[in-house]
Amino acid sequence: MTVADAVGRALADLGADHVFGVVGSGNFHVTNALVAGGARYVAARHEGGAATMADAYARTSGKLGVLSVHQGCGLTNAMTGIAEAAKSRTPLLVLAAEVTSPRSNFFVDQTALATAVGAASERVTSASSAVDTVVRAVRRATHERRTVVLNLPLDRQAEPAPVVPVDPLPPHLPPAPDPAAVDALADAIARARRPVFVAGRGARHARAELEDLAERCGALLATSAVANGLFTGNPWSVGISGGFATPLAVELITGADLVVGWGCALNAWTTRHGSLLGPGAAVVQVDLDADALGAHRPVDLGVVGDVRAVAAAVRVEGAPGYRSPELAARIAGAGRWRDVPHVEESEVDRIDPRTLSTRLDDLLPAERVVGVDSGNFMGYPSAYLSVPDERGFCFTQAFQSIGLGLATTIGAALARPDRLPVAALGDGGGLMGIAELETVVRLGLPMVVVVYNDGGYGAEVHHFGPGGHPLDTVRFADTDVAAIGRGFGCTALTVRRPEDLAGLTRWLDGPRDTPLLIDAKVAAGRASWWLEEAFRGH
């Protein structure tokens, strides 16, 4: 057994069941060893796509994500996806082949690359310690919620290695929260008359505990964008807080006298640059990471601890809080964007993206997993397409790179094969990541790919256009994305008006043996509402 074999087998023994990548000479053997150990290898067409697939798989499945890349250029190709994962605190392990001679054309400082984007770095330095290094790297990734680059020097990979049995890591048990801090949180909740809970990614495992506490204190429930779907079906949920918030959610969150961020950064996006936090509101933040408390804005109280444990420990009983029959009726009638009336802005040959998104929500099965790219369009699928729970929405937006949406949806689809995968892309990001459409076809994923096609980089058009700046660099001739989809082997249709979506109904009623690509020619007359809010903060 070589070091490469030992590393791959150890990872499989530690529970790595999927590995995403592009295989070259440097990562060939370790990837095959993972497959021999029982992991499924998913070949991407670009390392950037593979990194995002692994990230999305980890987010949606709750398991460790694994990426395998070639030395040097394989790692640099993957860096945007690795940066996104690192900024999102995704438990992701990157197997990176490495050359150590500065004279090699593949040489780059791979440790420095990892550190530059916020990832941790480990290295196999000997055959005898290789398995221990793998265990340490996996423990860091899962227990510390880190993206870890594990460098595998080529000369070490070929060395003989001892056979070392590997036991699964025990579950990580976070430290119990400080009772005094929990009591202070209970006091703050008891004093509140209009409490709102905003749950983030760190709360996605704690729905039951948060709903129970909210019921006892009368709190309304909201989420950050990445935790969208956590409170689906709860009558006191006002949806997403931040740029995607409905007018009713803005009114209610702004009117709160207490806002508690549960595993939520309370950053500029979730708070609309602070405007959603009323001037008299007390702000509390609960997070496993002490450094996260108050990182984006001052808080009146910070509680270090696991969200589930803290919520379960809070003792508050019988407060009416924000809830009333009248408010329940308002939330039921106007709690979603699709319930908010809008002036139809469809054009002769272009559909209003709100009309498109509402119709898609009506037609698509409720059991879906939605992946969203970045761009001017992104608020429409995020806010209009309902999802069954927090595992039904994958939002790789921490680095705000376009081009990740298709790969995001592939990773999410493999994590939830029981649901219809829906990729929502702009034409800019969609064309940037278009190579992975071949991956969708090759894997036989019954995916619906919706391209909100406005013929340009809409965010820049609407950001700079009102100032009279030339827009030639961010506008493009109309692209027949449907034809491109057919070239990859997809079923495809062009949508300019609601009735064109009849092709979606036919596809849904059929065998779904090819992916469906929808080239939606959307009206581009003005910025989306969330982008207008974002620009106000610039």
Side-chain angles (χ1 to χ4, degrees), residues 165-229:
V166 179
D167 296 323
L169 290 177
H172 178 55
L173 300 176
D178 178 14
V182 173
D183 288 344
L185 173 56
D187 289 342
I189 293 174
R191 291 192 302 269
R193 294 295 173 264
R194 298 180 307 280
V196 171
F197 291 173
V198 182
R201 188 176 178 195
R204 295 174 78 208
H205 64 305
R207 172 172 179 162
E209 290 77 11
L210 289 174
E211 287 186 326
D212 177 67
L213 178 57
E215 184 71 24
R216 287 185 280 119
C217 71
L220 302 183
L221 298 164
T223 71
S224 67
V226 293
N228 180 31

Side-chain angles (χ1 to χ4, degrees), residues 50-60 65 81 84-85 88 90 92 201 396:
T52 301
M53 292 175 203
D55 180 6
Y57 179 82
R59 297 185 196 213
T60 308
E84 168 64 35
S88 298
T90 299
L92 173 66
R201 188 176 178 195
T396 46

Side-chain angles (χ1 to χ4, degrees), residues 48 72 239 244 416 418:
F244 299 158
R416 292 305 306 253
D418 56 323

